[in-house]
Amino acid sequence: MTAPYLKGNNIHTASCLGGYSYWDWKRSRPEFSEIADRLLEGIRLYKHGRIRKLVLASDGSIIESKDRKGLQGNAADMKQYLADLGMPLEDVILETRANNTWENATFTLELIGNSMKTESTLLITSATHMRRSLWTFHAAGLNPDTYITDTFPEIKGEKTNFLPSWHVLASWPELTHEWVGYLYYRLRHKPSV
């Protein structure tokens, strides 16, 4: 199987937005949600040589507690978990402070520096989250290529059903969150470029 198509052949840094895991302190391991594709695709793109560095933007498994004393996440053990999956630790960068997408962009830029403005970069996140994320990264002065995950593919042989389903209704809070977040960012933050 070949690596997915990307505009650039040699992406320097990929930022994989969080929200896909939490640290299970009782079992000392991460637990993943249904949007773990963000991380899995980042690892897969790295393994195929399409990206050189993978930034994991703050996520429940790695995010620092706000008072720096609580047990919010476990960055050291998450790095070890990724090493167990074959990721070289020198190519994994953890952004552990952000609490939202705006902070993901600004803190990632602080971590990596201005090379993110000159080197090819990639933004990996869910299809429903990409519009707001891309606008946010543009506002921070970054112009990444995009890679969407968590799409809703058509399943061959499945018939189209025009009746409402619980799955569609369950997605409305996420979509509403994205609309409100996008409008808020547009009103609150002005692009730096």
Side-chain angles (χ1 to χ4, degrees):
M1 187 157 119
T2 61
Y5 170 79
L6 293 174
K7 289 179 191 171
N9 288 328
N10 196 5
I11 304 292
H12 186 271
T13 305
S15 185
C16 178
L17 296 190
Y20 48 77
S21 71
Y22 296 93
W23 192 260
D24 181 345
W25 286 96
K26 184 177 179 182
R27 292 164 189 85
S28 191
R29 67 181 186 211
E31 290 293 332
F32 297 97
S33 72
E34 67 277 356
I35 60 171
D37 290 3
R38 297 175 184 187
L39 175 62
L40 297 175
E41 286 300 305
I43 292 171
R44 190 166 80 93
L45 290 169
Y46 178 87
K47 296 274 189 167
H48 280 284
R50 302 307 302 270
I51 58 176
R52 289 185 269 165
K53 299 282 184 188
L54 183 62
V55 177
L56 302 186
S58 62
D59 186 67
S61 285
I62 62 173
I63 193 169
E64 296 174 354
S65 61
K66 290 181 183 173
D67 62 4
R68 296 184 184 253
K69 297 176 186 173
L71 297 177
Q72 180 105 18
N74 188 342
D77 283 352
M78 183 59 164
K79 268 195 136 175
Q80 183 55 52
Y81 184 88
L82 293 170
D84 292 346
L85 295 176
M87 288 294 296
L89 295 184
E90 65 271 11
D91 293 338
V92 177
I93 302 164
L94 302 182
E95 183 283 292
T96 62
R97 300 182 302 150
N99 291 299
N100 57 52
T101 307
W102 181 262
E103 290 178 356
N104 284 151
T106 55
F107 292 158
T108 298
L109 183 57
E110 281 179 22
L111 271 173
I112 306 300
N114 283 331
S115 66
M116 281 192 76
K117 293 181 179 182
T118 58
E119 299 276 350
S120 57
T121 57
L122 182 66
L123 179 60
I124 303 171
T125 195
S126 302
T128 56
H129 186 50
M130 185 56 79
R131 180 177 183 184
R132 180 164 58 105
S133 301
L134 188 58
W135 185 90
T136 303
F137 274 65
H138 284 167
L142 303 170
N143 190 27
D145 196 358
T146 59
Y147 188 90
I148 60 170
T149 64
D150 310 304
T151 59
F152 296 101
E154 288 186 31
I155 299 170
K156 288 188 176 187
E158 186 176 89
K159 294 184 180 186
T160 303
N161 187 348
F162 294 100
L163 297 175
S165 72
W166 69 269
H167 183 288
V168 173
L169 294 175
S171 298
W172 272 100
E174 179 184 354
L175 186 56
T176 302
H177 175 84
E178 289 304 321
W179 287 339
V180 170
Y182 181 75
L183 290 174
Y184 173 79
Y185 285 175
R186 292 289 303 234
L187 295 172
R188 174 92 166 84
H189 303 287
K190 301 294 179 209
S192 64
V193 287

